[in-house]
Amino acid sequence: MRRYLLLLIPILSLTSGAGQAGNAAAERLAEAVRFKTISYQDRSRIDYSEFLRFHDFLKSHYPRVFTELDVETVSNYSLLILWPGSDPQLTPVMFTAHMDVVPIEPGTETDWDYPAFEGVIDNGRIYGRGTLDDKQGLLSLMEAAESLLEEGFTPRRTVLFAFGHDEEISGLHGAVNLAARIKERGLQSAWMIDEGGFLIADSPLLPGRPLGLVSVAEKGYLTVTLSTRGEGGHSSRPPATGTIGRLSAALERVENSPYPPRLVGPVQAMFETIAPHTDQPQRFIFENLWLTGGLLASQLAEDPVTSSFVRTTAALTMFNAGVKENVIPQYAEAKINFRLLPGDTADTVVARITDIVDDPLVDISYDAWSDPSPVSDHTGDGFAVISEAVAEVYPEAIVVPSLLVATTDSRHYVDVSDNQYRFHGNRLSMEQVNSMHGTNEFLDVESYEDMISIARQMLKKGTR
């Protein structure tokens, strides 16, 4: 059974084909890359004029959207666009994306095949920061809306577009205020679609059939700070246990006590949905998770690629202590970043870590970014719209629910949307996954064309 269970890893690792044709839409995405809408953790470094220039670019290339629809700027740089439906009795739907991108890691600039903000198209690929996260998502929606407006399309159901400007640094000024403005206007969406899902081509588990992963939930985000104080002084007279040693021992206990693996609802639903399309013995495994679920979770937990789908993870990310090599530090601090499975919360994680550390001299504090999101209904209308839209472009595709191990702006819209789905219809390869937030980020032109087609279908089918 282990051999077949390990076939799951490529599902989450991804392989795909690439398109070669170029078109005007690809050129517009390449141009969008050239705007350095970079979100730095230190907000004083952000050049907000780039966001305003990006707004001008959008107005120039999508004139019908900006003249025929209700466009509002929120928090100076985010955009809220309302496309009124012909039937005001129908509950609206919402599509979201973000215009900001992460910085280029200093020292890696020359590792790019093409400069990260030049927006080069070569060999059927669009290169540059934002081609995967998330200007391709924003522009594919604008391409779809503009073309539908040109065709005279009028939705029966009102559509909201919410485009934040600071998703990469938590969305506290963008998505948070967009959601507040939506609430002020008395609007509520039946469902929303954000980034966080994609298509996989030629999965080893489903040879020759694209696999669409729609994230119906995302993990929570929590950073715990461990700190300790102790006797300092000259390094020639060290104490029996210094602050670094004490804190290191606490961190070792945490790292050696991983959460036990378990299958949560979205991951279980993914395997159950795949099951009818697989051969034995995989089909038996996936159809009988009441019997095989524990073994499946344990096998997935053995590989770093899939472990995050079945356990709350802890990553030791920062350690600070000392000011000079011959001075014993009186204070040491470390940070642990947790990504929480549904069912875990900041409070339960901190309680568990407190028990594991078991040292009254180590202080534990935390800054909870977000608990795990609610799990959206994978049998609901929004999921069905995504499935139908994908089928129009990829008739042979299988669309399944999944769990997003990262975080998105969608968590900020929970109060104004009944269900949150995370999916943009682009195909990704492993090379592309590694380039997200990394080096040589790119998108295949053909994939982008198909992504726009899927966005058109979602707008048409989602507003019936």
Side-chain angles (χ1 to χ4, degrees):
M1 182 180 290
R2 173 186 171 85
R3 179 168 64 92
Y4 294 103
L5 292 175
L6 292 178
L7 286 175
L8 298 174
I9 293 174
I11 294 178
L12 304 171
S13 298
L14 318 182
T15 58
S16 170
Q20 297 298 318
N23 61 14
E27 293 287 352
R28 286 187 284 271
L29 178 56
E31 185 177 349
V33 167
R34 296 166 197 152
F35 296 95
K36 296 182 179 180
T37 53
I38 304 170
S39 277
Y40 294 98
Q41 209 66 41
D42 177 1
R43 291 179 183 266
S44 67
R45 298 183 59 195
I46 299 175
D47 182 357
Y48 286 108
S49 67
E50 288 290 301
F51 290 84
L52 298 178
R53 292 179 60 236
F54 183 65
H55 288 190
D56 290 339
F57 158 81
L58 294 175
K59 294 173 186 175
S60 172
H61 287 295
Y62 307 106
R64 290 183 181 272
V65 169
F66 282 84
T67 58
E68 298 180 26
L69 306 186
D70 178 355
V71 181
E72 179 181 357
T73 302
V74 176
S75 293
N76 299 317
Y77 310 108
S78 292
L79 295 174
L80 178 62
I81 303 174
L82 187 145
W83 190 350
S86 61
D87 187 348
Q89 301 303 313
L90 296 176
T91 306
V93 295
M94 182 162 61
F95 296 83
T96 66
H98 64 90
M99 61 188 75
D100 61 321
V101 298
V102 297
I104 307 304
E105 183 178 350
T108 68
E109 293 86 352
T110 59
D111 295 336
W112 288 67
D113 291 341
Y114 304 95
F117 291 99
E118 280 195 4
V120 172
I121 299 177
D122 184 45
N123 195 30
R125 294 175 172 179
I126 312 160
Y127 287 89
R129 178 64 88 225
T131 54
L132 292 182
D133 186 13
D134 181 38
K135 284 179 178 172
Q136 93 295 348
L138 193 158
L139 261 66
S140 66
L141 290 168
M142 287 294 90
E143 295 283 346
E146 186 75 10
S147 64
L148 289 172
L149 287 166
E150 289 174 356
E151 295 168 11
F153 174 77
T154 299
R156 285 188 63 219
R157 192 182 298 269
T158 294
V159 179
L160 293 170
F161 297 106
F163 299 143
H165 71 275
D166 64 346
E167 189 274 345
E168 297 294 358
I169 48 176
S170 80
L172 296 180
H173 293 83
V176 166
N177 288 323
L178 284 165
R181 181 61 182 142
I182 291 169
K183 187 177 293 187
E184 285 176 4
R185 295 179 68 164
L187 299 169
Q188 178 79 16
S189 64
W191 46 262
M192 61 167 285
I193 298 175
D194 195 5
E195 63 172 335
F198 35 77
L199 284 151
I200 306 168
D202 300 323
S203 162
L205 194 64
L206 296 172
R209 303 192 69 173
L211 185 65
L213 297 176
V214 179
S215 297
V216 296
E218 61 185 49
K219 297 180 79 171
Y221 184 107
L222 167 71
T223 296
V224 173
T225 301
L226 272 57
S227 61
T228 187
R229 296 184 181 276
E231 181 183 349
H234 199 282
S235 61
S236 63
R237 298 182 298 276
T241 302
T243 53
I244 292 177
R246 182 177 298 280
L247 193 55
S248 296
L251 295 172
E252 183 179 26
R253 289 194 289 274
V254 172
E255 198 165 49
N256 290 338
S257 304
Y259 267 78
R262 57 188 173 90
L263 287 184
V264 294
V267 177
Q268 180 171 329
M270 178 179 69
F271 291 122
E272 290 173 342
T273 306
I274 291 173
H277 308 285
T278 60
D279 297 325
Q280 299 294 358
Q282 298 99 310
R283 183 168 182 172
F284 175 85
I285 296 168
F286 300 159
E287 287 183 340
N288 295 277
L289 293 176
W290 62 272
L291 175 64
T292 61
L295 178 59
L296 177 57
S298 295
Q299 294 295 331
L300 293 173
E302 290 185 7
D303 190 280
V305 174
T306 52
S307 178
S308 58
F309 286 85
V310 294
R311 64 164 38 123
T312 288
T313 57
L316 312 185
T317 56
M318 298 180 71
F319 195 115
N320 296 298
V323 294
K324 197 172 185 293
E325 65 187 56
N326 63 345
V327 176
I328 297 169
Q330 298 180 60
Y331 179 78
E333 177 184 283
K335 293 186 182 294
I336 311 172
N337 183 249
F338 291 86
R339 301 302 175 103
L340 284 58
L341 279 183
D344 291 328
T345 66
D347 289 340
T348 62
V349 170
V350 171
R352 183 175 186 271
I353 295 307
T354 301
D355 289 341
I356 291 170
V357 170
D358 192 25
D359 187 341
L361 296 181
V362 175
D363 294 323
I364 299 174
S365 60
Y366 67 97
D367 177 17
W369 189 348
S370 63
D371 282 334
S373 74
V375 179
S376 296
D377 183 6
H378 71 277
T379 66
D381 291 342
F383 193 95
V385 165
I386 295 172
S387 298
E388 292 173 14
V390 170
E392 292 287 342
V393 181
Y394 299 97
E396 72 283 15
I398 304 299
V399 177
V400 301
S402 185
L403 173 68
L404 182 64
V405 300
T407 55
T408 68
D409 270 344
S410 61
R411 68 191 186 280
H412 298 308
Y413 296 107
V414 170
D415 288 342
V416 294
S417 177
D418 296 340
N419 282 285
Q420 300 81 43
Y421 303 102
R422 301 152 189 87
F423 179 81
H424 285 158
N426 48 337
R427 300 186 308 270
L428 300 183
S429 67
M430 193 64 215
E431 179 184 4
Q432 289 167 288
V433 172
N434 289 335
S435 73
M436 194 178 297
H437 284 200
T439 299
N440 278 334
E441 186 177 343
F442 73 88
L443 178 65
D444 295 327
V445 171
E446 183 181 359
S447 174
Y448 185 51
E449 293 173 334
D450 292 340
M451 186 180 185
I452 295 169
S453 297
I454 290 173
R456 280 175 51 89
Q457 292 297 327
M458 289 193 297
L459 284 170
K460 292 169 69 174
K461 295 178 183 297
T463 58
R464 294 173 295 196

